[in-house]
Amino acid sequence: MALGKDYATQECSIARALEVIGERWTLLVIRDALYGVRRYNDFLTHLGIPRAVLAARLQMLTAEGILEKRRYQESPPRDEYVITERGIALWPTVRSLGRWGREHFSDTQLRRFEHVDCGTELGAYGECPTCGGVVPVEDVVMVPGTGLDPNPTDPVSRAFLKSKRLLEPIETVPV
Amino acid sequence: MALGKDYATQECSIARALEVIGERWTLLVIRDALYGVRRYNDFLTHLGIPRAVLAARLQMLTAEGILEKRRYQESPPRDEYVITERGIALWPTVRSLGRWGREHFSDTQLRRFEHVDCGTELGAYGECPTCGGVVPVEDVVMVPGTGLDPNPTDPVSRAFLKSKRLLEPIETVPV
DNA sequence: ACGTGTTGGTTCAGTGACTGAACCGACGAT
DNA sequence: ATCGTCGGTTCAGTCACTGAACCAACACGT
């Protein structure tokens, strides 16, 4: 264990968390899982991640209880990786990191996240300023922004061109 | 640029953020800076990070505007690294990650974070449940918990055995 | 029966980041 | 003159990531 693991001397739950999700690509896999990506091939094409790394991350995240491997069809046997409660609990972290990245390093707004009940954009860590509380992840709508490539090559990005709720599985539409 | 950088194909502010703070050790340096660590040697002994990596991270974080290098004495010339507004804006991310790590992977509570006005423990992303709003980082008190080593070797951990406000520079007490 | 395509991997050589130890320069103190 | 401290740099070795190739199970069309 080296990169992203083994901060052994740290008496700190942040270090403990980083041992689990601090490796390269890991948080992007979790982000995609929150967005509704479930299948190996969808992660692969959407992230542009090396296959070996993706296989390692999926296995590790499954072992840590953040994803759950689930058979969704027999013949041919196919599994999907569904995010668990423990993974969903990372949404405030993912949301606040995305907000920070947009506010400090991005010129255009690529996506917006709204409360499905009222359409208000979420605050810095996933709360609704209008309704005044934390919005359950399944009540968050992801709305595409103006800066997105209107004609992406991979099916996942194409699915993300429509508004959709978080966690809701994506529909991979063939070309 | 490789590990933690160059997620070039991602149209995503999370990926953009991870290019900046996604490398190994980087978020722990920011955590320590939020806790009031400012000097090279304090980062070094508290984190147990290789010197070369620390130097690289401090330089990069300074270049990205997250830390600011500041001369605090001449003769001998000494600089300290102070966290900027852009770095302070990462507090919700750091807080929520720490909460997640404690709730899912830690048995003991190592530290508590309270609102200085009312003593209430902060919520999942740094808000005060009692006062009902986001607490400015400088109004957060870090309180040592029971699981900490009562007699640590490095001066920074020793300084953390007392309650202190975030951002407030640590007092490095000689042994 | 046979070739083709899809999905979900494994293997492997090459690159590059991290690690730990050694070394170094500026200065203060004795 | 020597020692100690602070803030680095250098360097060999290790280990994770990268990208391409390969592979196995199965469905489908002819």
Side-chain angles (χ1 to χ4, degrees):
Chain A
M1 315 276 135
L3 287 129
K5 294 225 165 193
D6 195 37
Y7 296 110
T9 65
Q10 297 297 308
E11 287 186 313
C12 174
S13 48
I14 297 170
R16 187 71 191 78
L18 287 173
E19 289 181 6
V20 180
I21 60 147
E23 287 176 305
R24 186 152 157 70
W25 294 110
T26 303
L27 206 57
L28 292 181
V29 172
I30 293 169
R31 176 204 63 182
D32 271 16
L34 283 166
Y35 288 0
V37 177
R38 296 185 167 189
R39 300 191 186 170
Y40 182 92
N41 225 33
D42 288 340
F43 285 111
L44 195 69
T45 56
H46 186 235
L47 291 172
I49 182 178
R51 307 175 80 91
V53 177
L54 177 59
R57 293 296 180 275
L58 291 175
Q59 192 180 354
M60 187 269 293
L61 288 170
T62 304
E64 296 285 3
I66 293 165
L67 299 179
E68 188 189 326
K69 191 170 185 171
R70 176 192 296 173
R71 178 72 39 108
Y72 69 91
Q73 70 172 35
E74 314 284 342
S75 180
R78 290 285 180 266
D79 298 314
E80 58 185 3
Y81 296 88
V82 185
I83 196 159
T84 63
E85 280 302 317
R86 178 176 283 185
I88 292 172
L90 278 168
W91 167 243
T93 304
V94 171
R95 167 63 183 165
S96 58
L97 189 62
R99 269 284 285 236
W100 182 81
R102 173 161 72 78
E103 285 177 4
H104 292 275
F105 295 98
S106 187
D107 30 355
T108 61
Q109 181 165 29
L110 298 167
R111 290 179 230 287
R112 242 179 31 254
F113 295 91
E114 299 178 351
H115 188 191
V116 70
D117 292 353
C118 64
T120 314
E121 179 169 16
L122 298 186
Y125 29 76
E127 87 288 7
C128 176
T130 303
C131 309
V134 181
V135 178
V137 179
E138 57 272 19
D139 292 342
V140 174
V141 195
M142 178 166 68
V143 183
T146 54
L148 289 175
D149 176 357
N151 205 359
T153 55
D154 72 289
V156 176
S157 294
R158 231 174 298 127
F160 287 170
L161 291 179
K162 292 192 303 187
S163 293
K164 71 177 289 297
R165 291 205 192 200
L166 294 191
L167 305 185
E168 181 196 346
I170 59 171
E171 305 162 27
T172 39
V173 194
V175 196
Chain B
M1 317 276 137
L3 288 128
K5 294 225 163 194
D6 195 37
Y7 296 110
T9 65
Q10 296 297 308
E11 287 185 315
C12 174
S13 48
I14 297 171
R16 186 72 192 79
L18 287 173
E19 288 181 7
V20 180
I21 60 148
E23 287 174 305
R24 185 152 158 71
W25 294 110
T26 302
L27 206 57
L28 292 182
V29 172
I30 293 170
R31 176 204 64 182
D32 272 15
L34 284 166
Y35 289 0
V37 178
R38 294 184 169 191
R39 300 193 187 168
Y40 182 91
N41 226 32
D42 287 341
F43 285 113
L44 195 69
T45 55
H46 185 235
L47 291 172
I49 181 178
R51 306 176 79 93
V53 177
L54 177 59
R57 293 295 179 275
L58 291 175
Q59 193 180 354
M60 188 269 293
L61 288 170
T62 304
E64 295 286 2
I66 293 165
L67 300 180
E68 189 188 326
K69 190 171 185 170
R70 177 191 297 174
R71 177 74 37 111
Y72 70 91
Q73 71 173 34
E74 314 283 344
S75 179
R78 290 285 180 264
D79 298 314
E80 58 185 4
Y81 295 88
V82 185
I83 196 159
T84 64
E85 279 302 317
R86 179 176 281 186
I88 293 172
L90 278 168
W91 167 243
T93 304
V94 170
R95 167 65 183 163
S96 59
L97 188 62
R99 270 284 285 236
W100 182 82
R102 172 160 74 78
E103 284 177 4
H104 292 275
F105 295 99
S106 186
D107 28 358
T108 62
Q109 182 165 28
L110 297 167
R111 292 179 227 285
R112 240 178 36 252
F113 294 90
E114 299 178 351
H115 186 192
V116 71
D117 292 352
C118 64
T120 314
E121 180 170 13
L122 264 49
Y125 29 77
E127 87 287 9
C128 176
T130 304
C131 309
V134 180
V135 178
V137 179
E138 56 272 18
D139 291 342
V140 175
V141 196
M142 178 166 67
V143 183
T146 54
L148 289 176
D149 177 357
N151 204 0
T153 55
D154 73 288
V156 177
S157 293
R158 232 175 297 128
F160 287 170
L161 291 178
K162 293 191 304 185
S163 293
K164 71 177 288 299
R165 292 206 192 199
L166 293 191
L167 305 184
E168 181 196 346
I170 60 171
E171 305 162 28
T172 38
V173 194
V175 195

